[in-house]
Structures are given as C-alpha cells and as structure tokens.
Amino acid sequence: MKTTVGLTHDPRRQCAWAVYWFGEPDLETGKQPKYTKSFRYKAEARTFQSEKQAEFDNGGTRDKPRDVTFMELVDQFTETRVAPLSHSSQLGYQNTVAQLREHFGSIVSIRDIDRRHAEKFMATRKRLSGNGKPLASWTRSRHLMHCRAIFNAAVEWGYIVSSPFAAPRRRSGSPLRVKGRSRPWQHIKPDEFVTLLIEVAAVQKKAGLWLMYGCGLRAGEVYNLTVDKIDLERRRVHIENREGTNDVPPFTVKSDGQSSEAKRRTVPIPEAAIAALIEACGQAFKAGGFVTLTQERFERVRDHWRLCREGKPWGAQTAHRPWQNRDMVNSFLRDTKASLRRSGVDV
C-alpha cells in the first residue's frame, strides 16, 4: 500500500507543481485511487505536501469524502444520535434542523457550508413568535449545541474535515461564541424551609419537599418514587429505572448526556425527614404505591397513561407524544411558588 504523499513538477503547465497521494485500496481489485492537487508555486506545494502527510500519519482519511447533502446527514444523525434521546431533546433537535433546512435548503452539500455561512445562520436567529424581542441566550446556545453535534458527527464519519460550527480560537464577537444564561437558583434557608412545611398541609407534599430539600432529588424522581424504593430502617432511598406496566408508567433516570444506568444511585435520608416519610408511606397504598401522589392524582395519571399507550392525547395535550417523567405531577412549580409566597419567602 502506497502511503507517501509525493510531489511532481511539469513546467509545461500553468500550475506546474502537483501534490499526489493514494487512497485506500479497493477491496476487490486492490488498486488505490490516485488524487492530485496543483499549485503555481513550489513553496505552496511543499507546505500542502507536509500538511497532508502529517494528516495521514495522524490517522486522517486518505480518500476524498463522499458528497453528502444536508438532509442525508440529518437523516443519518437522527437515526443514530437523536433517536435514543428523550422526547423533549428530540423536539429541540427538530426545531434546530427545521431552521437549518429553511436557511440552507435540503439539497445543499455539507462541504459547501463554511464558517461564514455558520456565523450568518447563528446571527440571524430570531424568536419564532415574531414579537421582535432578541432571542434568549439559552435558546441560541441550544441551537449552537445542536449544530455542533450534527456537524461533529459529519467529521467523525469522514464527510467533512472540520465543522463550520466549531468554536473560534480567538476571543471575538463571533456568533459562534454563545454562553447560555440560566435563571438564578432560589436558595431556601433552613428556617425558611421549616416555615414552608408549616404552610403545606398535605402529607404527600411534605414528604416530597423533604426528599428534594433533604435528599437532593429532582421533582421527576420524587413523584415517580414508590414505597419499595425507600428503606426507612437504613434511612436511604434508591433511584433507578422502572419498566412501565398497564397501570404504572415507566420512569427513566435523567441522564444528562450519560447512560441512565450510570445515574442509578442510593441517597441517604436525613433524620428530620423520617417522620414525614413514614406517614406518607402509610398512605401510599391508596395511590398505587407512590409515596408523593394522592389517590386522586394517581387515578388521573393512570388514565393519562392508558391514553398514552393507546396513542391518544391526554390532559392538555393536543397530539400524542411519548410519556415523560414530569407527566406524573401537574403544576408542581406553580404550587410550590405559591406556598413559598404564603409562607413569607421572597420568590
């Protein structure tokens, strides 16, 4: 197999210097395709020759990448990288892809999309509502994250050499440098938490607040928690995936880019939370074994899960979609903020 990048000179040509190299051998014939690139000046040819040789020595592809359209790339990326993600993540990618397709078109070759085009795309993003307000930095950063994931995959698959959406090296005003700003955390002091517990009457809500405040669980984890996952004797709670049944929807530990299995964990329960959890566990049999659901809420969840399995919309949904962890609870954030305000905590 020929691996050396060569250099030839033909004074009869206007671009007299030519760099040549050989691709991967054909599996049937064993022949290697030959590629050339011409230059007018020897110095340019020498530089390209050394860069090409270094690229091959570092494992770079020897053959010219296949010309792939944007929609071909999107179809492959969706099938391999987006399909395993959560429903909300899939919707985010669909939004970005729709805007990319509107901006570039479906049949454009991804090799024709350069950094200038990428910067123009990011600079022209606007709110879908059309109210004229600037696009939130968080939304802009999500678009950029999706674009980088899509075109980084194209680099990995050998379709392009580099991603046009890669972060620029220099610190400049490039639209490709975006840092999403999240909302500030609402820090609750211990005395404020005690006041909040006094304001909340329902046993299930008290137990849920203790699991979040005392154990650091997410709301989706708390409202999917069943009695068998709480060990009151050893004072610990187990967070792990649950398969769906006819009566109970599934639960998947939020993975944040990691395998959900890697997020399985056991969390200690503070002594102060035991009394509330004992009382909530004692009433859980009325709610299908769910510690923080009332009987009424469990029956509603069961009806929604039945409609979901039948491929129908439920509740406020106008179209069917996959079940999500947060579908176990309704208006959690609104109710918690209202309780905080009634207890005198500034939110």
Side-chain angles (χ1 to χ4, degrees):
M1 177 176 171
K2 302 175 183 178
T3 59
T4 304
V5 179
L7 178 67
T8 61
H9 178 251
D10 186 350
R12 294 172 299 177
R13 297 179 176 273
Q14 183 178 6
C15 296
W17 297 92
V19 177
Y20 65 90
W21 68 94
F22 295 90
E24 299 294 334
D26 185 270
L27 295 178
E28 295 182 358
T29 65
K31 295 183 178 180
Q32 293 178 255
K34 184 178 180 180
Y35 305 103
T36 60
K37 184 175 179 63
S38 300
F39 297 88
R40 178 172 293 183
Y41 303 107
K42 182 178 180 180
E44 295 177 340
R46 286 286 190 186
T47 300
F48 180 81
Q49 179 188 21
S50 61
E51 291 176 350
K52 202 65 167 174
Q53 188 67 63
E55 179 185 336
F56 294 156
D57 292 342
N58 291 327
T61 178
R62 307 185 66 85
D63 292 298
K64 290 184 177 179
R66 184 172 68 87
D67 197 12
V68 176
T69 66
F70 173 70
M71 284 312 300
E72 286 179 315
L73 172 62
V74 167
D75 290 342
Q76 295 175 26
F77 181 83
T78 301
E79 182 180 2
T80 58
R81 304 286 177 90
V82 178
L85 301 180
S86 66
H87 178 69
S88 58
S89 296
Q90 292 180 17
L91 291 179
Y93 272 103
Q94 290 173 14
N95 182 19
T96 301
V97 167
Q99 296 192 37
L100 283 168
R101 185 169 61 246
E102 181 181 0
H103 186 83
F104 293 112
S106 300
I107 61 175
V108 63
S109 171
I110 59 174
R111 295 194 309 198
D112 293 336
I113 301 176
D114 56 23
R115 182 173 292 274
R116 176 175 58 88
H117 297 130
E119 290 191 348
K120 183 177 181 180
F121 171 79
M122 289 303 305
T124 55
R125 293 309 90 207
K126 298 180 180 179
R127 288 178 178 264
L128 295 179
S129 61
N131 58 12
K133 294 182 180 180
L135 188 65
S137 61
W138 186 89
T139 305
R140 193 180 298 275
S141 67
R142 302 301 289 185
H143 282 315
L144 184 57
M145 182 191 73
H146 296 155
C147 291
R148 284 177 177 166
I150 293 170
F151 283 86
N152 284 343
V155 174
E156 295 176 21
W157 296 334
Y159 296 153
I160 53 178
V161 177
S162 61
S163 169
F165 287 91
R169 295 181 179 178
R170 296 181 180 179
R171 293 188 174 274
S172 61
S174 171
L176 299 181
R177 280 195 174 275
V178 181
K179 184 177 181 181
R181 288 177 291 182
S182 59
R183 297 177 181 175
W185 285 88
Q186 176 68 44
H187 296 283
I188 305 296
K189 299 177 182 178
D191 58 331
E192 294 175 335
F193 181 69
V194 172
T195 306
L196 174 62
L197 289 177
I198 296 173
E199 176 63 33
V200 174
V203 173
Q204 293 85 356
K205 287 189 177 181
K206 285 181 183 290
L209 290 172
W210 267 118
L211 288 168
M212 284 181 275
Y213 191 80
C215 303
L217 303 188
R218 297 182 176 94
E221 295 171 341
V222 168
Y223 284 92
N224 276 278
L225 194 63
T226 51
V227 172
D228 59 306
K229 303 302 178 184
I230 296 181
D231 187 344
L232 291 175
E233 182 178 353
R234 299 182 180 180
R235 297 179 185 175
R236 59 188 185 183
V237 56
H238 305 285
I239 304 300
E240 56 189 14
N241 295 339
R242 179 183 66 241
E243 296 290 337
T245 66
N246 290 338
D247 292 325
V248 178
F251 168 69
T252 303
V253 183
K254 189 175 180 181
S255 57
D256 291 336
Q258 303 179 31
S259 167
S260 62
E261 292 298 320
K263 285 290 185 176
R264 293 177 56 187
R265 64 196 190 280
T266 298
V267 183
I269 301 174
E271 172 66 26
I274 295 298
L277 288 176
I278 289 177
E279 191 173 358
C281 289
Q283 298 187 21
F285 71 95
K286 299 178 182 179
F290 287 93
V291 178
T292 57
L293 296 186
T294 63
Q295 181 179 357
E296 179 185 4
R297 182 59 194 173
F298 171 69
E299 292 174 355
R300 186 171 301 176
V301 165
R302 187 167 53 184
D303 290 340
H304 290 175
W305 172 233
R306 175 182 55 80
L307 293 172
C308 180
R309 288 188 291 110
E310 294 174 356
K312 301 176 182 178
W314 69 90
Q317 306 295 323
T318 58
H320 173 262
R321 63 166 174 79
W323 188 267
Q324 300 181 60
N325 293 341
R326 63 172 178 261
D327 292 324
M328 294 294 291
V329 63
N330 185 35
S331 304
F332 163 75
L333 183 59
R334 182 196 66 190
D335 294 345
T336 303
K337 284 185 176 181
S339 299
L340 286 169
R341 283 192 293 267
R342 289 195 299 268
S343 63
V345 179
D346 183 18
V347 293

